[in-house]
Amino acid sequence: MNKWTGRLTSSLLALLLLVPSPALGASGTVTDGNSAGQQAAAAPDYTGHWAAGDLQTWVDKGLLSGYGNGVFKPDQNITRAEWVALVNRVFNLQTVAAANSFSDVEQGKAYYSEVMKAVSAGYVSGYSDGTFHPQQIVSRQEAAVMLYRLFRLDAAAAGAGPQDAETLPEWSREAVLSLLGDGFLSGYEDGSFKGGRPVTRAEAVRMIGKLSGEIILQSGSYAQLQAKNLVISSAGVSLKDTEITGNLYLTEGIAGGDILLDNVKVAGKIIVSGGGENSVVLNNTSAASLTADKPDGKLRIVLKGSSSIPDVTAESGVRLEEDTALGGAGFSRVKLENTLPAGSRIQLSGSFDSVVVNAAGEPELVLVRGTIAEMTLNRMAHFVRRPEAKSGI
């Protein structure tokens, strides 16, 4: 269990003011021009601040509100409860963990659901004594670890690192060095990182924003975007002619809604945590890999046109389908990892080079149509071949 550090801080009221109320875009939609004008009757106190552009972007997207009359307190330190509330809003997280293992996070508190969403998403674990310390200030190294986990980043190649790298706790070192190496975090002018320092509101927005890249929170058509990372947290999004040099995140905020990716090039991976049984369509789209991880397992991903996803990891139930007129390489290799919930159902339609089963929960593997050239069962699985599927395994 990671042991996080920080200092005791402020009141619970700050959490309620940090994120939008229902009247200020709590559904994740951007407020209209009139309401935004009413909200910012006075010039915001971040005018001229080094993070003014970041803060204004978040206000415009409905991700951030203030104390009224233009007061946002950008240099005020942020608590751990406030921090997870901000992160959750970017991913539009919906699932509240059923089990609460934290002795100091009481049901009924304003921050309870936000902390439990973070638990469900798997990016917080708290302290070794079973506490979370929701009103404690979050440190730079704590923030780095949480972002590293949520965004499912890979360890970066060893680099120079900050001059105080040796002072970083072991539990934070990989996350901090990876985020620094990939340019998502920056240190101080003296070459240090100062991992134990508190994170301010402005720093929080900058840190989360740099990792998120482009954030799409409203349904609609988007085209010709260029981003390092891109987050889609709403259903009904059509993304076309876009290049992403990092990762694409289809979050659980999409729920069971529709997503269309048309001529989208992703240099990294696509993480699919939202979408329905008939809804995620990739046309003329490519990525280095894809991870399916929707909690209820009700997810269908279809490849069309020249689409190519060479490596797929199933961490939840999913139906992977290649369109019958597919001209691209389609899905090539599929792995059922040990994080797959017991009894999950994986349905395959198309021509697959290989399927590897590492999952311990005896998943059901259904070949609906097509062939599997090679199958490796490192763990038990229930294999079903539909009549229309060819013999080829």
Side-chain angles (χ1 to χ4, degrees):
M1 181 81 63
N2 293 337
K3 185 177 181 182
W4 293 342
T5 61
R7 294 180 297 153
L8 193 62
T9 186
S10 65
S11 69
L12 181 58
L13 179 62
L15 173 64
L16 304 178
L17 295 168
L18 183 66
V19 296
S21 67
L24 295 174
S27 65
T29 58
V30 179
T31 54
D32 61 38
N34 290 334
S35 60
Q38 294 168 2
Q39 181 185 350
D45 59 0
Y46 55 74
T47 301
H49 193 276
W50 60 264
D54 306 77
L55 293 162
Q56 188 60 54
T57 295
W58 277 47
V59 170
D60 292 342
K61 287 183 177 291
L63 288 167
L64 187 70
S65 68
Y67 293 85
N69 201 33
V71 177
F72 287 83
K73 300 183 180 180
D75 295 319
Q76 180 171 294
N77 295 337
I78 188 170
T79 68
R80 289 164 58 83
E82 293 168 344
W83 167 264
V84 298
L86 274 186
V87 174
N88 293 351
R89 191 161 293 278
V90 170
F91 271 52
N92 195 11
L93 295 180
Q94 303 293 317
T95 305
V96 177
N100 174 19
S101 62
F102 300 132
S103 60
D104 59 346
V105 178
E106 299 177 16
Q107 192 165 6
K109 294 290 187 181
Y111 50 73
Y112 178 84
S113 65
E114 297 299 338
V115 175
M116 291 300 101
K117 288 176 185 178
V119 171
S120 178
Y123 73 88
V124 301
S125 56
Y127 294 85
S128 58
D129 63 357
T131 60
F132 181 74
H133 296 182
Q135 297 189 57
Q136 180 173 289
I137 294 298
V138 69
S139 69
R140 286 165 56 81
Q141 58 203 18
E142 290 172 353
V145 169
M146 287 187 263
L147 292 177
Y148 184 74
R149 290 174 177 169
L150 179 64
F151 283 85
R152 298 178 181 230
L153 301 179
D154 300 319
Q163 68 174 24
D164 57 350
E166 292 302 317
T167 68
L168 292 170
E170 183 62 32
W171 54 263
S172 72
R173 191 165 297 151
E174 180 179 296
V176 171
L177 295 183
S178 295
L179 292 176
L180 285 171
D182 289 336
F184 293 120
L185 287 182
S186 58
Y188 292 89
E189 292 181 357
D190 63 359
S192 65
F193 178 70
K194 297 181 173 59
R197 279 198 175 182
V199 176
T200 66
R201 292 170 179 253
E203 289 170 336
V205 169
R206 170 66 62 85
M207 291 172 72
I208 301 168
K210 287 190 74 172
L211 261 167
S212 303
E214 187 72 31
I215 305 170
I216 296 177
L217 296 165
Q218 289 184 316
S219 61
S221 296
Y222 300 81
Q224 298 182 335
L225 302 181
Q226 291 187 337
K228 187 165 185 177
N229 289 335
L230 193 147
V231 177
I232 298 178
S233 295
S234 176
V237 170
S238 172
L239 181 64
K240 298 182 179 181
D241 304 327
T242 290
E243 292 187 10
I244 301 167
T245 59
N247 301 331
L248 170 61
Y249 300 88
L250 307 181
T251 78
E252 70 174 61
I254 297 166
D258 298 338
I259 296 292
L260 171 64
L261 305 180
D262 189 358
N263 192 32
V264 176
K265 312 301 179 187
V266 182
K269 52 193 172 184
I270 301 176
I271 309 293
V272 186
S273 302
E277 295 178 276
N278 299 289
S279 64
V280 180
V281 177
L282 284 63
N283 184 53
N284 300 326
T285 290
S286 63
S289 65
L290 181 147
T291 298
D293 185 18
K294 190 184 178 202
D296 65 6
K298 297 178 180 179
L299 176 64
R300 176 174 172 254
I301 303 172
V302 182
L303 298 191
K304 295 184 176 184
S306 62
S307 294
S308 173
I309 309 287
D311 290 292
V312 177
T313 300
E315 297 185 1
S316 73
V318 64
R319 176 166 178 158
L320 302 174
E321 182 177 325
E322 296 178 348
D323 185 74
T324 54
L326 180 72
F331 299 114
S332 298
R333 298 171 293 273
V334 179
K335 286 185 179 181
L336 281 59
E337 289 295 7
N338 54 17
T339 51
L340 188 68
S344 294
R345 192 180 198 203
I346 310 299
Q347 301 179 77
L348 305 178
S349 295
S351 298
F352 299 84
D353 292 339
S354 67
V355 173
V356 178
V357 178
N358 296 322
E362 299 189 10
E364 181 182 15
L365 180 60
V366 182
L367 183 59
V368 178
R369 169 180 55 80
T371 60
I372 301 173
E374 180 181 355
M375 186 157 63
T376 304
L377 297 177
N378 295 322
R379 294 294 185 96
M380 180 67 70
H382 300 284
F383 180 68
V384 178
R385 181 166 51 202
R386 296 282 176 81
E388 57 267 37
K390 299 178 181 178
S391 59
I393 59 172

